[in-house]
Structures are given as C-alpha cells and as structure tokens.
Amino acid sequence: MKKGDIVARHSYHYDIIFVIHEIVGNVAVLQGVYVRLVADADISDLKLVDEGVLSRYEDADLSYQKSIIESYKDKISHITGKILHLDSDATYLNKCLNLYKELNIYAYGVALNEESFYLKVIELIKRVRPNIVILTGHDSYNNKGLTDLNNYRNTINFIKAVIKIREYYSLDDICIYAGACGSNFEALIAAGANFASSIDRNNIEAYDPAIVGILASITPITKTIDIESLYNFSKMNKGSIGGVETYGKMRLLIK
C-alpha cells in the first residue's frame, strides 16, 4: 500500500472507496473518492480496488453529473448569483467548477487546506465579490459525543471561516454553505452558516455543496431557497444538509 492507492475497508464491507492520502506507521489516512469523508484505517484492513470497479464508479459519477445539469439548466434565467468555492480537495473542486460552468453560473474556485480557510477567505471575498460562499472539503465524526467539537476532524476549521465572514457580511449579504461528511450541523449554523451538513452526521457526496450553491444562485431574491428541492435534484438523503430561511441570489434584468 502506498499514497495514492485506491482502497476500500474490509471492516466496513468495502462500502466506500478511498484514496490513501498519507501513511503514518501502519495507519493510512483516507479520503473518499466520491464522498467527502476522511478516515483512518489500519493498512491490514485495506484492499486495493480493481480497475473494473473503479470504472463502474466513474461511469456512475459522470451519469450523476449529467443528471444534475439536466435538472437545473432549464431553471436558470436572468443574472445568477456569484459563487466563491473553497475546497480542500482539488479533484472535487474541479468537478464542482465543471458543474457551474455547464450551467453558466459564475464561480471562482480555490483549493486550500481546511486550516487555511479562515486566513484567506476575506481576501478572496474582497477580490471575487461573491454573494454565495461554499466552504467544504473533508470531515468526519468519531461517534464519541455529538456536542464536543474535538470529535470532528474539520468542523472547527469550517466554523472559524464562517465566523470570519460574519465579522464583515450578514446572513443576507452572503449565503454560506459550510461542512462535509459528518460535520457538526448545529455548530456551523450557530456560527452563521445559511446551510450546513450534516443534521444526522450523514455522509455527503462530492457534488452536494455545489448543488446548494447552484440552488442559491438560481433562486430569485424575492423567494426563499427551497431545501426540499435539494433532495429532489440530488442523491443526498434527507438529514444530510439543512439550513435557515434564506433568500436566493438571482436577479431579473429590467429594460
């Protein structure tokens, strides 16, 4: 086993495929290939995923991407919202940027470690001038106590970035989505996020934060974003993402 190998965990019945991010002794740090989950596993628990399985996953992922585009492209009109997307996973970031591009939604993406989000986000907002900010990457919850933020891999990093944004911009100025797999939803909303994951500490897929951004971008400023439509146009389960009442960012052209 080495960094970059694609693997699955025997103890979890090979339910999720991961890439090995790094190896420390006999423990591998894993990042989900299609879900925004980070995990640790003993190398002895890992099995390499063969090319045939990978090919099927990739075909399913491309099909899902096309279905998202088909679901939303006829709903876009006028001037859509502008998105700043910060992501710790460059591969996921590019997938999300491709979605925005296909839908003609302006988006500026930056790949950063979660720890750096709060240091860079205000500088980027001032440069890009978005009205939607996506803060995502990888996270996990260790099942040792829901309220202790030390039991989450990156929730604290997302919170620090949300708080930094709210020092300058209100809930109505900038719509924020924050979180990844298993993040502390309640803490992120309390910090000032409009939308966050995960109410039930569920896993979320690579595209889910982008779907929130798309929906915010194409909902008129006179209407609140319909959280139910997130579930209608994606594979995410109810309980994955929630939020507070928030108006959209699309504006009509007046002639």
Side-chain angles (χ1 to χ4, degrees), residues 164-183:
K164 179 61 68 173
I165 296 170
R166 291 297 177 230
E167 289 178 4
Y168 298 87
Y169 305 95
S170 74
L171 277 167
D172 294 322
D173 291 331
I174 291 180
C175 174
I176 301 173
Y177 166 85
C181 286
S183 295

Side-chain angles (χ1 to χ4, degrees), residues 1 9 21 42 53 60 68-69 74 85 119-120 146-147 152 173 191 196 199 234:
M1 297 288 178
R9 299 172 295 180
H21 181 65
D42 194 282
V53 172
I68 296 170
I69 294 167
D74 293 332
H85 185 126
L119 296 172
K120 299 289 186 180
L146 289 171
T147 59
Y152 300 83
D173 291 331
I199 300 170
S234 80

Side-chain angles (χ1 to χ4, degrees), residues 2-233:
K2 63 183 185 301
K3 181 178 179 179
D5 281 347
I6 307 298
V7 297
R9 299 172 295 180
H10 172 73
S11 59
Y12 285 80
H13 308 289
Y14 312 112
D15 60 338
I16 297 172
I17 63 172
F18 296 89
V19 60
I20 296 178
H21 181 65
E22 63 176 328
I23 296 175
V24 181
N26 292 321
V27 176
V29 178
L30 310 173
Q31 292 185 343
V33 177
Y34 297 102
V35 298
R36 291 181 173 274
L37 178 67
V38 61
D40 297 332
D42 194 282
I43 290 175
S44 63
D45 190 38
L46 301 178
K47 178 182 178 180
L48 290 170
V49 176
D50 65 43
E51 289 296 326
V53 172
L54 275 177
S55 180
R56 290 194 294 273
Y57 269 96
E58 186 60 29
D59 288 345
D61 185 67
L62 290 172
S63 176
Y64 182 38
Q65 184 181 130
K66 289 178 181 177
S67 73
I68 296 170
I69 294 167
E70 291 297 320
S71 296
Y72 286 109
K73 69 178 182 180
D74 293 332
K75 298 181 180 297
I76 297 175
S77 59
H78 314 300
I79 301 174
T80 60
K82 182 187 288 187
I83 298 170
L84 171 63
H85 185 126
L86 273 59
D87 205 316
S88 70
D89 192 307
T91 300
Y92 285 6
L93 174 62
N94 287 330
K95 288 183 176 187
C96 292
L97 290 176
N98 286 336
L99 269 187
Y100 302 138
K101 183 178 179 181
E102 288 289 334
L103 292 167
N104 292 317
I105 294 172
Y106 179 89
Y108 187 87
V110 180
L112 285 173
N113 291 331
E114 289 92 349
E115 296 90 343
S116 300
F117 281 8
Y118 84 101
L119 296 172
K120 299 289 186 180
V121 69
I122 297 302
E123 172 191 336
L124 289 165
I125 288 173
K126 289 180 178 179
R127 185 195 312 169
V128 179
R129 299 179 66 188
N131 47 25
I132 301 161
V133 174
I134 306 297
L135 303 168
T136 190
H138 294 277
D139 205 354
S140 60
Y141 166 56
N142 63 16
N143 292 303
K144 293 182 179 180
L146 289 171
T147 59
D148 187 347
L149 295 181
N150 292 314
N151 292 328
Y152 300 83
R153 180 83 64 150
N154 275 310
T155 293
I156 290 175
N157 292 318
F158 295 132
I159 287 172
K160 288 167 69 176
V162 171
I163 290 173
K164 179 61 68 173
I165 296 170
R166 291 297 177 230
E167 289 178 4
Y168 298 87
Y169 305 95
S170 74
L171 277 167
D172 294 322
D173 291 331
I174 291 180
C175 174
I176 301 173
Y177 166 85
C181 286
S183 295
N184 188 312
F185 166 81
E186 295 85 356
L188 288 166
I189 294 297
N194 299 74
F195 297 97
S197 58
S198 165
I199 300 170
D200 294 334
R201 308 306 187 257
N202 289 335
N203 291 337
I204 66 168
E205 299 200 9
Y207 298 114
D208 290 349
I211 292 173
V212 177
I214 290 166
L215 193 59
S217 180
I218 67 173
T219 299
I221 61 168
T222 56
K223 296 182 178 180
T224 56
I225 297 165
D226 179 14
I227 195 70
E228 287 296 319
S229 63
L230 290 175
Y231 302 118
N232 293 337
F233 296 113

